[in-house]
Amino acid sequence: MILSYRIGRGLLYRLNPTTKLVVGLCAIVTAFLIPHVLGTVVFAGAVWLLVALGGGGSRISRTALLIVAPVSISLLVIHSLFYPDRQTVLLMIGPVAIWAEGLAFAVAMISRIAVLVLVVLAVVMTIPSKVLAATMVDRGLSPKFAYVFLATLQMIPDVHRRLQATLEAQQSRGLDVRANLRRRIRSLLAILGPLFQGTLVAAETRSLALEARAFGRKGPRTSMVESPADPKVERVVRYAAVAGVLALIVGTLLGPR
Amino acid sequence: MEDEDIVSRIVHHITKDFTTRAWVLIPIGVTINIVGGLIVNLLHLPVYLDTIGTVLVAVLAGPWVGATTGAASNIILGLVVRPTLLPYTITTVTVGLVAGYMAKAGFFQRFWKVVVVGIVLVFAATFTVAPTTAIFFGGATGGGADIIRGTILATGEKLMAAMFRAEFLLQPVDKITVVVIAYLVGRSIPLKYRPEVGRHTLPPPVGETASVSPATRPAD
């Protein structure tokens, strides 16, 4: 499953990606700083509501659920049963005790992870990756990192095809993907060797092509993708978010434990 | 003046390996990391193997290029596949640096030394993964390894201590397999296709002599 942009409507789609990144990062830091379970749950709920109403709708909510659910199940099981600082029994199911402290810890962690996931989804699913890269270059990121980002995204399906071809070629020679562990480790080498060599040799051609287009030169670049507008309101919102988080950090450091 | 000199020396030390060919290797390293993960699923193997590309690039193109590959891997995969990978960026950066510097020190010249690199990487990974899992995820990541983490927590260990013990169980097979695969694949790449660094850190492929005449060597 690849998280990708699809055309949509709403505030999230109109915002400058820098705003989404900065405010999102502030939200993640906040989620980890809020000390009480209830606070983290309310905060995660608020973030979810903002994302859902801001145009994320059911698509982002559903994807977030798919990612958060497995971690949540693990956390709930592990901590409600075995939390290290367990003191209060909340519930007895037969011989098994559910501990209140563990449950609270698990719920707080799940809320924090949910905020992290929602923020990432709200950034990447509401903007084409090319525009995201162009905006970052505008903000001072080296175009070389933009190349790494976009080239990787393009290369993933390509390498997947190569993997399929290598796998079929080796299977025609008798490679068995369901054999015992030793045989499977040997098949691993039989697949990886040719696959990686092929890709690395192709790198040679790529670097010559890039060099011919002045990849190594210093200086500004022009882009075929225009980065979106950055209205004054959004800049104010970004500064406010950063100031808020800084205040929260100072408060946490100075405040009572 | 002295300070500036040191700073510029450090900057030069880091940036000198970033040739065009090194930059091209980074996305390839990232996709190799992804493929490693895919194949493990395909063959139902009990390891991750998602740092083969990072180690390979670190050995072929230098520690900082390797670290960049590691960072790019987790940031890109974190953005387009699984956001929970983002905090583990610190681990993949460390893996790239350790593998790269050990390669420069000659640790990828012989097979038994490669195993030593694997062991060092087990420690590097454990000391970065364990705190990350404890602090960011409260001790679970939603994968099969959670069974091991949970079992250790059930014995009454503190969260952080339990995460360290779990990683010491999980990492050895993975990291040693990773460096051995990276070594075998890296060694089989013909000298003329390797970046400058990789011509010295790895032995030449079987049947090739160590020196390549400048005439047949393409410019970096």
Side-chain angles (χ1 to χ4, degrees):
Chain A
M1 178 183 65
I2 295 262
L3 312 171
S4 58
Y5 167 75
R6 221 180 293 158
I7 294 172
R9 276 160 186 278
L11 183 67
L12 281 174
Y13 291 86
R14 285 195 303 271
L15 284 177
N16 186 290
T18 322
T19 310
K20 282 185 275 188
L21 278 173
V22 171
V23 175
L25 214 61
C26 291
I28 294 170
V29 175
T30 309
F32 277 87
L33 285 178
I34 297 176
H36 200 268
V37 201
L38 211 63
T40 51
V41 174
V42 171
F43 185 72
V47 170
W48 172 69
L49 214 63
L50 269 176
V51 170
L53 295 179
S58 61
R59 195 164 81 97
I60 291 186
S61 308
R62 228 180 312 124
T63 318
L65 192 67
L66 277 177
I67 298 170
V68 178
V71 193
S72 306
I73 294 168
S74 291
L75 278 170
L76 282 174
V77 172
I78 292 177
H79 289 296
S80 52
L81 299 179
F82 312 125
Y83 188 63
D85 296 323
R86 48 188 182 246
Q87 277 161 2
T88 328
V89 176
L90 190 72
L91 191 72
M92 289 294 288
I93 304 172
V96 181
I98 305 285
W99 300 87
E101 291 85 4
L103 195 64
F105 179 76
V107 171
M109 281 324 289
I110 292 168
S111 312
R112 288 169 183 153
I113 296 169
V115 171
L116 170 80
V117 171
L118 280 168
V119 164
V120 172
L121 297 186
V123 173
V124 295
M125 292 176 89
T126 57
I127 189 167
S129 39
K130 274 181 208 161
V131 182
L132 183 61
T135 317
M136 291 302 103
V137 171
D138 260 12
R139 293 271 153 212
L141 181 83
S142 158
K144 288 171 176 158
F145 287 101
Y147 163 76
V148 168
F149 178 59
L150 295 175
T152 307
L153 291 186
Q154 283 177 8
M155 232 180 258
I156 295 173
D158 186 49
V159 172
H160 212 151
R161 263 196 306 277
R162 230 182 246 268
L163 168 68
Q164 216 58 47
T166 317
L167 189 67
E168 278 163 19
Q170 297 289 28
Q171 275 175 332
S172 75
R173 295 174 55 215
L175 177 134
D176 183 2
V177 293
R178 306 213 170 273
N180 62 36
L181 192 64
R182 254 187 75 180
R183 297 280 302 267
R184 273 182 286 151
I185 291 172
R186 285 187 54 190
S187 5
L188 185 69
L189 280 176
I191 297 170
L192 291 181
L195 178 70
F196 292 173
Q197 271 178 39
T199 340
L200 287 167
V201 171
E204 177 68 19
T205 326
R206 234 171 214 277
S207 74
L208 287 176
L210 280 173
E211 211 32 75
R213 285 157 188 77
F215 182 77
R217 284 294 296 259
K218 291 201 172 75
R221 301 292 199 282
T222 52
S223 173
M224 295 186 73
V225 183
E226 236 176 279
S227 57
D230 189 20
K232 205 169 185 178
V233 195
E234 292 195 26
R235 256 174 286 164
V236 173
V237 169
R238 290 202 295 265
Y239 283 119
V242 173
V245 165
L246 287 180
L248 188 63
I249 293 173
V250 172
T252 314
L253 290 177
L254 296 180
R257 295 213 48 143
Chain B
M1 284 306 270
E2 277 259 293
D3 282 356
E4 213 179 73
D5 200 42
I6 293 170
V7 171
S8 65
R9 280 231 305 272
I10 293 174
V11 169
H12 176 74
H13 169 80
I14 293 175
T15 52
K16 73 175 182 332
D17 288 337
F18 284 87
T19 57
T20 299
R21 199 182 295 190
W23 279 108
V24 171
L25 278 180
I26 295 171
I28 292 177
V30 176
T31 35
I32 289 177
N33 286 340
I34 298 170
V35 169
L38 280 176
I39 293 182
V40 163
N41 276 335
L42 213 67
L43 296 176
H44 311 284
L45 293 170
V47 279
Y48 306 113
L49 303 191
D50 52 2
T51 48
I52 300 176
T54 307
V55 173
L56 194 57
V57 173
V59 175
L60 285 172
W64 291 95
V65 185
T68 310
T69 308
S73 266
N74 278 52
I75 292 171
I76 294 172
L77 281 181
L79 289 180
V80 302
V81 182
R82 209 147 39 102
T84 48
L85 287 171
L86 284 170
Y88 292 103
T89 306
I90 176 156
T91 306
T92 50
V93 167
T94 315
V95 166
L97 288 178
V98 169
Y101 277 111
M102 290 190 82
K104 281 205 163 171
F107 274 88
F108 275 82
Q109 291 289 354
R110 286 179 197 287
F111 187 80
W112 69 268
K113 285 185 175 175
V114 171
V115 178
V116 175
V117 180
I119 294 166
V120 175
L121 283 181
V122 170
F123 284 91
T126 302
F127 276 87
T128 49
V129 171
T132 310
T133 312
I135 294 167
F136 279 90
F137 301 104
T141 55
D146 282 351
I147 297 169
I148 295 176
R149 299 197 178 100
T151 313
I152 296 174
L153 267 177
T155 64
E157 285 271 17
K158 289 278 176 210
L159 185 58
M160 191 66 86
M163 291 308 113
F164 270 94
R165 277 183 55 188
E167 290 311 318
F168 269 121
L169 283 176
L170 292 164
Q171 294 289 343
V173 181
D174 181 59
K175 288 297 172 293
I176 290 170
T177 317
V178 162
V179 286
V180 168
I181 291 176
Y183 168 74
L184 292 176
V185 173
R187 203 186 54 173
S188 67
I189 300 167
L191 285 177
K192 68 173 218 167
Y193 288 117
R194 294 185 196 171
E196 189 57 39
V197 177
R199 292 181 189 132
H200 309 296
T201 50
L202 281 162
V206 183
E208 249 188 275
T209 45
S211 63
V212 185
S213 68
T216 61
R217 183 188 285 182
D220 256 317

